[in-house]
Each structure stands twice: as C-alpha cells, then as structure tokens.
Amino acid sequence: SAQGAKAPIGDPAAAYYVSGRAPILDVGSPRALSLALQSIYDCIHTHTECSTGSNTLPSMPTRVIDCGDNHRPHLVTTEHFHEQYVALSYVWGEPQPHMTTTRNIAKYMHSIDMEHLPQTILDAIQVVVGLGLRYLWIDTLCIIQDSTEDRDREVAQMQHIYRDAYITVIAASASKVSDGFLHTRPTVLTAH
C-alpha cells in the first residue's frame, strides 16, 4: 500500500499493517547513512538475538584497512586488536590491478593511493567513515594475493571474518568492482 495508507476498517489484513516510508534513492546520502546508523543501533539494542551480551569484542582479522584518515587509508596488522570493523562482500567481476602483494605490502602499510582504488572499495571507505567507524576488511587488500600461505590461512578464517564483523556491507548492486554501489537508484514505478 502507499505510504500513509491504512487497511480499511474490518479488513483482516489491518492487524498486519506495516507502515512504510518512501525509499531512499540516494543511498550514499547523509540521510541514508543516518537511517543505517539508526537501524544498527536498534538491532544491537533491541534484538536479543543480535546482541552478543558481552562487552568483549571478537578478534579482528590479520589485516584491516585503517580508514581513520579517509584521504590516506592504509593497511594495519591487527596483532590481537579487539575493535569493531566492517567487512565488504562484493563481486570482483574483473581483474584487480591494485591488490596487496608481497611487493607492495610495505607501501600499503604506509598508504594506499585512493586514485587507484576501484569505486566499490572507495564507496566502502565512504560508508565506514560515514558510520563513524575506522576499520575495513576487504579480501583483495587484506590478503596477500601472491602468497599461497597467506591466502590459505586467511581464506580458512573468512567465515569468522564475516561473522565477527560489526556489520558487513554487501555491494549487491555492483556487478564488478569498478561499478561502485553508492550511486543514486532509479525511481521504481509500482503498478496500482
């Protein structure tokens, strides 16, 4: 039903009426981030099944991207840090020319050049910063891609990485990493 509409009096569906709100089409807007923050807060504080009931944060993945300076993100080795982090779930969909390797990991620990990052990763950094968080886990940057030993160890931990993330951003609207996911959505017309 339309926003603000209610089921007619006497309609058995009236007991199940769910009020709606107009969709947010600009998913990267401050309004969208504010709604996401409110939803996260509601989830953590009102859903007993979502609250861990513990004040101890889980261990972080081996490496995360520190987005504290969103103009100069860099890799950090967590070494038993216990902080909230965001995980990104996305489709590569194309070759990843800027991934962490044994040749560039030292450079990436200092700084990751934002000009070379694909849009989906840039969008994920924007979400992390917009939510007031600091750390981001992305497979292509947090796993040393040309090290079989590192890949095997980290891939074996992926179920824990996603499970223990404060939130996981799913870039479902991007069919490849260069697409990004924070673009304004088209208006959808509904049939009446």
Side-chain angles (χ1 to χ4, degrees):
S1 67
Q3 182 179 2
K6 294 187 177 185
I9 294 174
D11 186 332
Y16 303 102
Y17 173 74
V18 176
S19 65
R21 65 177 154 252
I24 297 175
L25 302 177
D26 183 4
V27 296
S29 69
R31 180 174 171 237
L33 286 171
S34 176
L35 179 60
L37 278 169
Q38 184 61 51
S39 296
I40 293 166
Y41 180 87
D42 290 348
C43 181
I44 290 168
H45 295 287
T46 64
H47 300 157
T48 56
E49 64 275 9
C50 296
S51 175
T52 63
S54 168
N55 292 331
T56 305
L57 294 169
S59 294
M60 296 174 75
T62 304
R63 285 173 219 90
V64 291
I65 300 165
D66 184 340
C67 303
D69 177 352
N70 63 338
H71 299 293
R72 201 176 107 187
H74 62 280
L75 273 178
V76 293
T77 303
T78 60
E79 298 178 25
H80 310 295
F81 285 6
H82 293 273
E83 296 286 338
Q84 295 171 331
Y85 66 93
V86 175
L88 176 66
S89 176
Y90 67 109
V91 174
W92 283 23
E94 60 195 346
Q96 302 290 298
H98 302 288
M99 58 179 68
T100 299
T101 64
T102 53
R103 293 180 308 282
N104 67 13
I105 190 167
K107 176 184 173 197
Y108 282 8
M109 291 286 199
H110 176 68
S111 177
I112 300 171
D113 188 352
M114 301 228 355
E115 290 182 23
H116 298 297
L117 293 177
Q119 193 61 50
T120 294
I121 294 175
L122 292 172
D123 287 355
I125 291 170
Q126 181 180 336
V127 168
V128 169
V129 172
L131 294 177
L133 299 169
R134 182 170 179 172
Y135 299 107
L136 173 63
W137 183 88
I138 302 173
D139 59 357
T140 190
L141 294 171
C142 298
I143 298 173
I144 303 172
Q145 298 296 319
D146 64 347
S147 167
T148 302
E149 179 183 335
D150 194 71
R151 268 188 322 190
D152 289 350
R153 182 182 60 246
E154 297 303 307
V155 167
Q157 295 301 314
M158 285 180 78
Q159 67 181 359
H160 303 290
I161 290 169
Y162 286 109
R163 179 196 65 201
D164 293 342
Y166 183 62
I167 61 168
T168 297
V169 172
I170 302 171
S173 65
S175 61
K176 59 185 183 222
V177 72
S178 61
D179 285 350
F181 60 90
L182 290 182
H183 49 274
T184 301
R185 302 299 193 264
T187 302
V188 179
L189 299 175
T190 57
H192 295 288

